[in-house]
């Protein structure tokens, strides 16, 4: 990043009202609040059904201070396109159009419209806040639930399959900007949003978003759990700008300093992984190691 | 100006004249020539609009819903399974009170696959809160599509303009193209009640509770039930808006006059055949044959299906002894939806009618089965003699 | 005949606080800042503000010293966990109420 935002230079203006219905310690609460700071006042938000629908408020009270369009589950990206095209048709080209979808609305039911819009190159930012399951319907398994995690419909054995890598799918669309982020690293997220809105076409940011009730940890540890995911190399902060991959922030530091922690520390921080066997945990570690063996000094 | 063109082109010309600003569509037969035309107009610079080649019908209506929410006049078109794939969005557009216009080139729905005409696709959307118009010829397609934009924007209710796939969508017929300046007089630019705007932020379509609740100013806002009731109230009132719009159109263009129902030789009719779409014009020939045989029979084309013009339908069949409802769709497990609606209207208006005619349903042209004029005449003859064929599917070969 | 304007026919929500009510009532423990250990309070100038940065509920102010809006603070404890000087303690609501009494 060219200029790094610090806590002191982070915009003071808030675009989210307090007293909303998000759960105590909600990771989305952090990511949404900081993301909107980066987007600023000239922004229209698109929201499919998700935890954000709840956070946003029930009629007639809105938590978000920006205009927002709630859409059906499958058409988030199409709705972003619709708003964008309407603005263009009216000669309004200074407004950021930003979709905020959960992992279901992105990776599962929403991927068709997201892929379509990405292929068309429509000019909006798509934020996926990934809490790794259908959390506001009661913690059901999604395409991005990680292997081994207990959910309401993987109740005893944990999810058997691997997590879907949406950022890689989006990168394969050849769009100009794909980034991963974490609710635990709000400044890194802020700067990625700032960069994304300076570029054309569909931009995609995938935010690892710890969920206290869904993942099974005390609400005070939301940031800690998110940090552990990054410090163990389980979740990496990176960006792919015009095809060039680069680790960012804490992930870049971890690579440089060689301080990657054992994945076990992350897995042990949450109840949802409690049924994983030592062999399964070792397998996760091996996968993380293999992934990190592909990272090299290009990080900055 | 008069041209000889297809029904799809008639629709496309209307959308161009209406100045739709955002068009989103996904290809499906027999709608495709309409959206191809719009692509041509837009790419050639004849039409100042954004064309979004979406990846599905669900997204087609999704784009239109969002574009309308952001203040643009938006249009889409589809057929058959495409319309069914949109179904969730069809409900959404009406609930969000967005004045969209969608043309439906009517086609049978799968399974099994069938690309030919019947009305099962749009009839199955009748409970979504949209206004539905059915066209009988190409002139009505271009005129109704233009009127649809005005009706939609006057009522904040989306309008579906339905016309028979192939029979109208692909056939060439002469029709008049409305003059551009007169269209501008008839249809002023879209002025939305609210458009998404950072200067005036609102959150649209938020979760709405079963009960009423105070807003941020301490005033009582509606609950879900009130919002839905007002859709129903406005839909019922839309019958009058459709009539007024038709009158305004007639005043400028000199065409129209029967926007709710189109009666043909019904004045002295003992029997009336009721239907929708192109079959009602075919039935006019049949009626002439039967009249020559001494039967006093007429045809009633239902042009506005939702909101159902119950009073107009009841009045049009007043004095008749019998009604035959000829339909290209079915509420499977009972009868044609139009047949049920008509019976219901007669019951509601029994006071004015004094006595209600007998009503017999007939089904024709399912999946594009050829509707032979001779078969229609035979079926009606047997109905006039006291009993419609059993089964009542005209032309069925079991 | 009640109101029939556009806003009454659609779900058109207007921004405002407290959609979920006084969410401070959700709290089991409340964060209490020890100003003697709080960096901006001690230095008397803009610094740190980790509690403001990480708050998911927009209830910590970016002021010297930071202030917590107890009407809406849900008591998650993230601020206490993230405070680099350990200046924020989570105190049982029952104890806090006793203290107030």
């Amino acid at each position: 990043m060219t200029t790094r935002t610090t806590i002191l230079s982070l915009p003071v203006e808030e675009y989210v009202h307090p007293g909303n219905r998000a759960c105590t310690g909600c990771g989305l609460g952090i990511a949404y609040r900081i993301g909107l700071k980066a987007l600023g006042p000239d922004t229209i938000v698109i929201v499919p059904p998700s935890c954000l629908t709840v956070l946003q408020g029930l009629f007639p009270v809105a938590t978000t201070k920006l205009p927002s369009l709630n859409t059906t589950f499958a058409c988030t990206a199409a709705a972003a396109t619709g708003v964008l095209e309407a603005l263009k048709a009216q000669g309004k080209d200074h407004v950021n159009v930003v979709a905020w979808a959960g992992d279901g609305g992105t990776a599962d039911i929403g991927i068709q419209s997201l892929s379509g819009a990405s292929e068309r190159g429509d000019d909006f930012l798509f934020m996926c806040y990934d809490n790794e399951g259908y959390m506001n319907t009661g913690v059901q398994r999604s395409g991005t639930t990680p292997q081994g995690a207990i959910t309401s419909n993987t109740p005893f054995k944990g999810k058997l399959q691997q997590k879907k890598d949406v950022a890689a799918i989006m990168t394969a669309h050849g769009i100009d900007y794909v980034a991963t982020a974490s609710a635990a690293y709000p400044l890194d997220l802020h700067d990625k949003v700032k960069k994304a809105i300076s570029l054309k076409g569909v931009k995609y940011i995938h935010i690892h978003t710890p969920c206290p009730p869904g993942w099974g940890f005390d609400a005070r540890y939301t940031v800690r759990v998110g940090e552990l995911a990054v410090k163990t190399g389980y979740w990496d902060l990176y960006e792919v700008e015009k095809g060039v991959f680069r680790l960012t922030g804490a992930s870049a530091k971890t690579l440089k300093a060689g301080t990657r922690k054992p994945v076990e520390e992350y897995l042990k921080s949450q109840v949802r992984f409690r049924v994983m066997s030592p062999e399964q945990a070792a397998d996760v570690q091996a996968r993380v190691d293999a992934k990190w063996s592909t990272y090299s000094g290009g990080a900055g | 100006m008069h041209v000889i063109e297809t029904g799809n082109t008639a629709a496309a010309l209307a959308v161009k004249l209406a100045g739709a600003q955002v068009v989103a569509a996904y290809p499906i037969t027999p709608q495709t020539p309409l959206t191809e035309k719009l692509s041509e107009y837009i790419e050639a610079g004849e039409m100042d609009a954004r064309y979004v080649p979406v990846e599905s019908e669900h997204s087609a209506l999704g784009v239109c819903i969002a574009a309308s929410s952001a203040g643009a006049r938006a249009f889409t078109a589809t057929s058959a399974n495409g319309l069914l794939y949109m179904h969730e969005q069809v409900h959404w557009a009406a609930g969000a009170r967005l004045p969209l216009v969608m043309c439906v080139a009517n086609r049978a729905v799968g399974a099994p696959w069938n690309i030919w005409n019947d009305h099962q696709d749009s009839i199955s959307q009748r409970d979504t809160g949209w206004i539905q118009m059915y066209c009988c010829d190409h002139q009505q397609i271009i005129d109704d599509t233009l009127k649809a934009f005005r009706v939609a924007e006057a009522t904040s209710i989306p309008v579906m303009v339905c016309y028979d796939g192939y029979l109208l969508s692909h056939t060439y017929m002469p029709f008049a193209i409305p003059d551009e300046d007169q269209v501008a007089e008839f249809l002023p630019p879209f002025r939305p009640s609210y458009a998404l705007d950072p200067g005036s932020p609102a959150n649209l379509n938020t979760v709405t509770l079963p009960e009423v609740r105070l807003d941020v100013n301490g005033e009582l806002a509606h609950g879900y039930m009130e919002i839905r009731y007002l859709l129903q109230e406005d839909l019922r009132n839309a019958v009058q808006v459709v009539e007024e719009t038709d009158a305004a159109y007639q005043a400028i263009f000199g065409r129209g006059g029967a926007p709710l129902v189109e009666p043909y030789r019904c004045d002295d009719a003992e029997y009336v055949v009721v239907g929708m779409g192109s079959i009602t014009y075919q039935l006019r020939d049949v009626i002439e044959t039967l009249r020559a045989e001494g039967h006093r029979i007429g045809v009633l084309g239902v042009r506005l299906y939702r909101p159902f013009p119950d009073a107009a339908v009841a009045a049009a069949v007043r004095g008749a002894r019998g009604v035959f409802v000829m339909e290209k769709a079915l509420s499977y497990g009972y009868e044609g939806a139009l047949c049920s609606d008509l019976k219901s209207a007669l019951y509601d208006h029994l006071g004015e009618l004094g006595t209600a005619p007998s009503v017999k349903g007939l089904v024709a042209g399912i999946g594009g089965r050829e509707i032979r004029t001779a078969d229609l005449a035979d079926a009606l003859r047997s109905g006039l003699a006291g009993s419609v064929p059993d089964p009542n599917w005209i032309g069925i070969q079991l | 005949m009640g109101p029939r304007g556009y806003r009454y026919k659609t779900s058109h929500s207007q921004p405002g606080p407290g959609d979920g009510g006084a969410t401070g009532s959700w709290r089991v423990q409340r964060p209490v800042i020890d100003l003697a250990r709080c960096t901006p309070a001690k230095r008397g100038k803009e610094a740190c503000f980790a509690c403001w940065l990480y708050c998911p509920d927009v209830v910590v102010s970016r002021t010297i010293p930071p202030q917590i809006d107890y009407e809406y603070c849900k008591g998650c404890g993230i601020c206490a966990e993230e405070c680099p000087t350990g200046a924020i303690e989570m105190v049982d609501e029952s104890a806090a109420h006793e203290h107030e009494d």
Side-chain angles (χ1 to χ4, degrees), chain B residues 96-97 193-194 201-206 208 213 215-217 219 222 227 230 233-234, chain C residues 1-21:
Chain B
R97 301 301 298 269
S193 303
Y194 173 77
N203 286 204
L204 305 183
N205 316 319
T206 35
T208 301
R213 190 181 178 216
D215 70 13
V216 293
N217 303 314
E219 290 170 23
H222 286 151
I227 288 172
L230 293 178
E233 183 180 88
D234 285 350
Chain C
M1 197 67 177
R4 292 291 192 277
Y6 160 80
R7 273 189 48 224
Y8 295 91
K9 296 177 179 179
T10 56
S11 173
H12 176 106
S13 294
Q14 291 180 301
D19 164 60

Side-chain angles (χ1 to χ4, degrees), chain A residues 154-173:
Chain A
T154 55
F156 307 120
K157 297 178 183 170
K159 182 179 166 182
L160 302 175
Q161 299 80 10
Q162 293 289 324
K163 178 184 176 81
K164 189 187 283 192
D165 188 346
V166 188
I169 293 169
M170 292 305 292
T171 303
H173 281 77

Side-chain angles (χ1 to χ4, degrees), chain A residues 21 41 53 56 58-60 62 65-70 72 74-75 78-79 81-83 85-86 88 90 112-113 116 120, chain B residues 50 53-56 58-59 63 66-67 70 85 88-89 92 198 201-209 213-215 221-222:
Chain A
R21 289 168 206 258
T53 321
Q56 273 211 319
L58 308 189
F59 178 71
K65 299 179 187 176
L66 301 169
S68 162
L69 180 67
N70 286 277
T72 58
C75 89
T81 297
V83 168
E85 296 296 352
K88 280 189 189 168
Q90 297 169 87
Q112 175 174 301
S113 63
R120 291 192 300 271
Chain B
R50 315 281 312 175
V54 283
E55 77 298 329
S56 77
H58 193 276
S59 285
V63 166
Y85 193 47
E88 172 192 30
Q89 306 278 48
W92 193 271
N203 286 204
L204 305 183
N205 316 319
T206 35
V207 176
T208 301
L209 293 164
R213 190 181 178 216
L214 292 177
D215 70 13
H222 286 151

